[in-house]
Each structure stands twice: as C-alpha cells, then as structure tokens.
Amino acid sequence: MEVLELARWQFGITTVYHFILVPLTIGLSTMVAILQTAWVRTGNDKYLRLTKFYGKLLLINFALGVATGIVQEFQFGMNWAEYSRFVGDVFGAPLAMEALAAFFLESTFLGLWIFGWDKLPKKVHLATVWAFAIGSILSAYFIIAANSWMQHPVGAEFNEETGRAEMTDIWAVLTNNTTLVAFPHVIATAFLVAGTFVAGIAVWWMVKKSREDRNHADLGMYRTAARFGAVVMLVSGIGVVVTGDIQAKLMFEQQPIKMAAAEGLVATPVGPAPFSLFTIGNLAGDDPDSVHHILEIPYFLSYMATGDWEGEVKGLDELQEIYAERYGAVDENGEEIEYRPNLAVTYWSFRLMIGLAVFSAALCVAIFWFTRKGRAIDQEWMSKLALISLPMPFLAASFGWIFTEMGRQPFVVAPNPTGSDQVMLMTTFGVSDATSVGEVATSLVAFTVIYAVLGIFWYRLIQRYASEGAAHVTYEEPSDDSDRPMSFAY
C-alpha cells in the first residue's frame, strides 16, 4: 500500500470509532438534563435516581469520546499536511471556535456538574448540566460547519500565488446551506441513538424486575425511563426522516454523482428512476450489464433526488463524462481520473444507514403498546429486542458517516457546482509528502490496537454500570462542611 491508502484507512478507522461515541453524548446530555429538571420541579426521587444512573453512563461515554477525538487534529497536521495547507485558513476557523467556545463550555460545566451536587444550589447545579448539553450541541454545529465546507465550499476563494483556499466570508461558512441541512439531521440522529440507549436499558431492567416480582417498587421508575426514551425515539425518528429527505435533495444538487452511487445507478434510466432495495452484479461500474436491481420501489429515487416523482436522475456513466469535461479527464500521469465513488461501499452503507433504524422503530412501537395504561413489560422477547436494538442506531449513524465521506471521493474538498471550481482538492493531493509508508503504517497499527483496547474498556464499563441499575440515592443539601465525603461518587 502507498501512503495515501494507509492514511485513508487510518483516518477512517479513528473517525468512525470516534463518531460511534459522539451521538450518544450529544443526545444523552440533554436527556439527563431533562430528567434532572423533572426532579427539581417535582422532587420525585425516581428522577434523581435516573439522572444519576444515566449520568454515570454519560460520563464514561464522554471521556472516551474526548480521548479519541484529539487524535483527529494530529492527523490533519501530519498525514494530511497538504490538505491542511490548502484549507487551513477556512477549515481551521470553525474548528477553533469549537475548541475555544463549545468544548470549553462543555468541559467546564461538566466538571461543575460532577463535583457540584452538594456544593451548588439545586437550580444552579441544574443550570450546569444544561450548559453542558448546549455546549455539546454547539460543538456539533461547528464540526458540521467544517465538514460541510468540504462537501460544499463557500465563503472562500482560491489564491493562485499561494495555492491555497482563503476565507472571504466567515458568515457564509457558518451559514452554508449544507450545514443548515446537515446539522438538524445529525442532531436528530443523536437523539435517536440516545433515546434507544435509554429505552433499551430501561426495558431490560423492567423485564428483569417484573419477572422477579410483579409488584417490584422499581418498575414504575423503569417504565418512566422506557416511555421517556420511546418519546425521544418517536420525535427524533420523524426528525431523521424529514431532515434526511431534505438533505438528499440538496446532496443531489451539489453532488449528483454521490446520489447515483448510492443507488448503483450505472446508466441513466429512461423515465422515472426507481429506488432499489437489493442489487446484484458488479458494483465497480465497469460492467454495467451485470448490475441488476432485484427489488425496486418505482419512482422513489426520482422523488428522493428531485422532489418530482418523474424527475430525471443521471447515471454514473453520464456523470463521469460530465465531471471529466468540467474538472479534467486525466491526471498528471496521463491516466483517466475516476470520479465514480466506491459503489459497493456507498450503495450498502446508504441502505444500512436507513435499514438499521428499523430496530429503533420496532422497540419504540412495542414500548408504547406494552406499557400503556400503567403496565410494565414482562415479556422475555422484549428484553432480547431491547438488547439487539441498543447497538443498531450507533451502527446506522456510523454507516451514514461512511456514506457521506466515501460518496465525496475522489475529492476531499468537493467542487461547488455554483461557486468557484478552483476551490476544490482531490484526496490524492491532500496527503503529506513528509510521511513515509513505514511511519503511517506504524501509527495505523498503533491507533487500531489502542482504539480496540479502548473499545473493550468502554463496552465493559458501560455494561458493568448499566447492569448495576439505578441505585437508591439520597440528596444532601449544599454545605461548606469540609469533613463531608466528596460528592463525586462515580
């Protein structure tokens, strides 16, 4: 392998691992804040127990998320130095805002929340967890703004003397229409992940307790958590569908070849384009006659892409010619530039992103039905459904991220079809000239091993504390007594 391939694998592995953790922190921080708000307003101990229980799981997840996120910054400067040189003036601005404003807000108020349980007045302490939740959402906004600029560069121009993209309008970067569409989709996904997480664990405990004792005192508490998670799943699930539809149409305008790749649409269809559920054949695109769509939904791809049930969707072959004419047909070595993304990855990641969300939908419907009129769930199969559903939205979010990034290839900064064509960068030109195959291979192996170990620790900690359940806790009024035990009891 060459440096480029190794660097791409390394960035893919570390980023996907990091992105598994991020959505849970974003969604769960707000859900914990809502639970604590319910406790402050009602004084009901079940909300305090749930706040502490899910708050402990949130802390574990947040700690691992921070540790794995720091590595991304180093990769920009080392493996992707040429990319950083080209986009640094633009890409660095939202990243700096994320670190100086959002992450500062996040980490500072998380610390106050952890250590302030018996030091701060109730309402002030409640404000700290809300500040943490807002910080995590704000952090997501700046990161998405940076990534959206790579998908659709605006507010910048190419300087021929320096060979770099230079910012001309920071406001245009922060209000990029790609950002404004992607941000609500990512946030809705984060709440779907967190809602499934909260509900799945609560259902598992409800089944366990009800089979031990049908009148167990904790059943009401876990029922509350399960229905709370189900409400979040319902609202966020609708949000994911609506924002996903809007995002698909914008993606078709900005990156039509990504939409064609998501469908494995080699040739431009005559008439309305169907959406395939399953396809066989050579998805590499070099043997169009071998590609067969087995199950199709007529007209649906046309609607997804254009909003018109009979809208035209161009195939990959035609788009390859259009891209070659506009951005160049051959590279510096005289070889043909392949503008078609990896079809197998984009086609299946797009379907896995959508399909795996079905588990959350099934769990949500089951919770509403079996917990109606004050009932508690005691069916064993519900316990299994809850456990199976837990990882599914995590995987769906990760496949969505893989689709977004792989579908942009061969560009690391995709060209803006309505902007300056010079503000673009192919991935092959973004890799650093100063790193060797041995160096990147060594760091790839090291990060993969370290992340695997961290993944095992994360899973074991989450499993351990989730299996302990919501402990009985006693709230102590704020005090200045220095002899009292520390409030940090996690």
Side-chain angles (χ1 to χ4, degrees), residues 270-341:
V270 178
F275 178 80
S276 69
L277 299 177
F278 187 73
T279 293
I280 60 172
N282 181 8
L283 284 175
D286 52 9
D287 185 12
D289 294 336
S290 71
V291 178
H292 297 286
H293 295 171
I294 304 302
L295 294 173
E296 293 181 335
I297 303 175
Y299 300 92
F300 195 57
L301 181 62
S302 287
Y303 179 77
M304 283 178 62
T306 67
D308 181 350
W309 293 101
E310 297 187 356
E312 183 190 50
V313 181
K314 288 184 170 58
L316 289 160
D317 288 346
E318 186 175 349
L319 288 168
Q320 169 73 22
E321 294 177 4
I322 294 172
Y323 273 60
E325 182 179 353
R326 187 163 188 175
Y327 306 117
V330 295
D331 60 19
E332 70 277 8
N333 297 319
E335 297 180 358
E336 182 183 3
I337 300 175
E338 177 60 70
Y339 289 101
R340 288 169 288 211

Side-chain angles (χ1 to χ4, degrees), residues 339-354:
Y339 289 101
R340 288 169 288 211
N342 185 307
L343 300 192
V345 173
T346 50
Y347 181 87
W348 287 111
S349 60
F350 187 65
R351 277 147 189 80
L352 288 169
M353 173 186 70
I354 298 171

Side-chain angles (χ1 to χ4, degrees), residues 5 8 29 240 392 402 445 459:
E5 293 173 287
R8 290 182 68 186
S29 58
V240 167
M392 296 307 172
I402 290 171
V445 173
Y459 174 76

Side-chain angles (χ1 to χ4, degrees), residues 76-367:
F76 287 136
M78 298 178 73
N79 293 350
W80 299 99
E82 289 303 311
Y83 160 80
S84 297
R85 189 190 64 80
F86 182 79
V87 305
D89 285 354
V90 185
F91 191 76
L95 286 187
M97 291 178 186
E98 191 272 338
L100 294 175
F103 185 68
F104 176 79
L105 183 72
E106 216 178 346
S107 53
T108 300
F109 283 97
L110 177 63
L112 290 172
W113 183 68
I114 293 172
F115 295 103
W117 275 100
D118 60 354
K119 302 295 182 189
L120 299 172
K122 270 186 182 179
K123 291 185 179 178
V124 174
H125 186 254
L126 175 63
T128 63
V129 72
W130 275 109
F132 167 59
I134 293 169
S136 67
I137 292 173
L138 196 60
S139 178
Y141 182 83
F142 288 122
I143 295 298
I144 292 169
N147 181 266
S148 294
W149 188 85
M150 296 162 66
Q151 307 283 346
H152 183 67
V154 295
E157 62 182 15
F158 180 72
N159 186 326
E160 292 185 359
E161 293 184 5
T162 62
R164 304 169 62 189
E166 296 181 353
M167 184 184 294
T168 57
D169 187 350
I170 181 61
W171 185 244
V173 174
L174 295 178
T175 58
N176 187 347
N177 58 357
T178 311
T179 304
L180 299 180
V181 170
F183 175 68
H185 186 63
V186 170
I187 295 301
T189 302
F191 278 97
L192 182 64
V193 170
T196 307
F197 183 81
V198 168
I201 294 173
V203 166
W204 185 84
W205 270 107
M206 203 189 311
V207 174
K208 179 180 173 67
K209 291 293 184 184
S210 63
R211 293 178 80 83
E212 290 174 3
D213 179 2
R214 295 187 65 83
N215 297 312
H216 198 286
D218 287 349
L219 284 176
M221 177 184 66
Y222 287 120
R223 179 180 179 279
T224 297
R227 289 184 69 85
F228 176 44
V231 169
V232 172
M233 276 193 284
L234 176 64
V235 175
S236 60
I238 294 171
V240 167
V241 172
V242 173
T243 57
D245 179 61
I246 298 170
Q247 192 174 19
K249 290 174 174 55
L250 186 63
M251 181 185 77
F252 178 69
E253 293 177 12
Q254 298 174 349
Q255 299 177 37
I257 204 164
K258 185 188 287 188
M259 176 61 83
E263 177 56 24
L265 195 66
V266 179
T268 301
V270 178
F275 178 80
S276 69
L277 299 177
F278 187 73
T279 293
I280 60 172
N282 181 8
L283 284 175
D286 52 9
D287 185 12
D289 294 336
S290 71
V291 178
H292 297 286
H293 295 171
I294 304 302
L295 294 173
E296 293 181 335
I297 303 175
Y299 300 92
F300 195 57
L301 181 62
S302 287
Y303 179 77
M304 283 178 62
T306 67
D308 181 350
W309 293 101
E310 297 187 356
E312 183 190 50
V313 181
K314 288 184 170 58
L316 289 160
D317 288 346
E318 186 175 349
L319 288 168
Q320 169 73 22
E321 294 177 4
I322 294 172
Y323 273 60
E325 182 179 353
R326 187 163 188 175
Y327 306 117
V330 295
D331 60 19
E332 70 277 8
N333 297 319
E335 297 180 358
E336 182 183 3
I337 300 175
E338 177 60 70
Y339 289 101
R340 288 169 288 211
N342 185 307
L343 300 192
V345 173
T346 50
Y347 181 87
W348 287 111
S349 60
F350 187 65
R351 277 147 189 80
L352 288 169
M353 173 186 70
I354 298 171
L356 291 175
V358 170
F359 288 89
S360 294
L363 182 63
C364 179
V365 171
I367 289 172

Side-chain angles (χ1 to χ4, degrees), residues 58-75:
L58 170 64
L59 295 181
I60 296 169
N61 192 73
F62 178 78
L64 267 293
V66 171
T68 56
I70 293 172
V71 175
Q72 316 301 324
E73 316 293 339
F74 287 100
Q75 289 185 90

Side-chain angles (χ1 to χ4, degrees), residues 404-458:
T404 300
E405 301 307 298
M406 287 296 290
R408 189 185 55 215
Q409 301 302 320
F411 297 103
V412 65
V413 178
N416 180 345
T418 59
S420 171
D421 281 352
Q422 292 182 310
V423 183
M424 65 175 182
L425 183 68
M426 300 193 79
T427 307
T428 188
F429 298 124
V431 72
S432 174
D433 294 330
T435 51
S436 66
V437 170
E439 290 170 341
V440 182
T442 302
S443 57
L444 168 63
V445 173
F447 282 130
T448 303
V449 172
I450 291 170
Y451 277 31
V453 172
L454 288 175
I456 294 171
F457 276 116
W458 175 85

Side-chain angles (χ1 to χ4, degrees), residues 25-40:
T25 294
I26 295 171
L28 191 56
S29 58
T30 301
M31 293 184 72
V32 169
I34 293 172
L35 287 169
Q36 187 168 340
T37 302
W39 169 63
V40 171

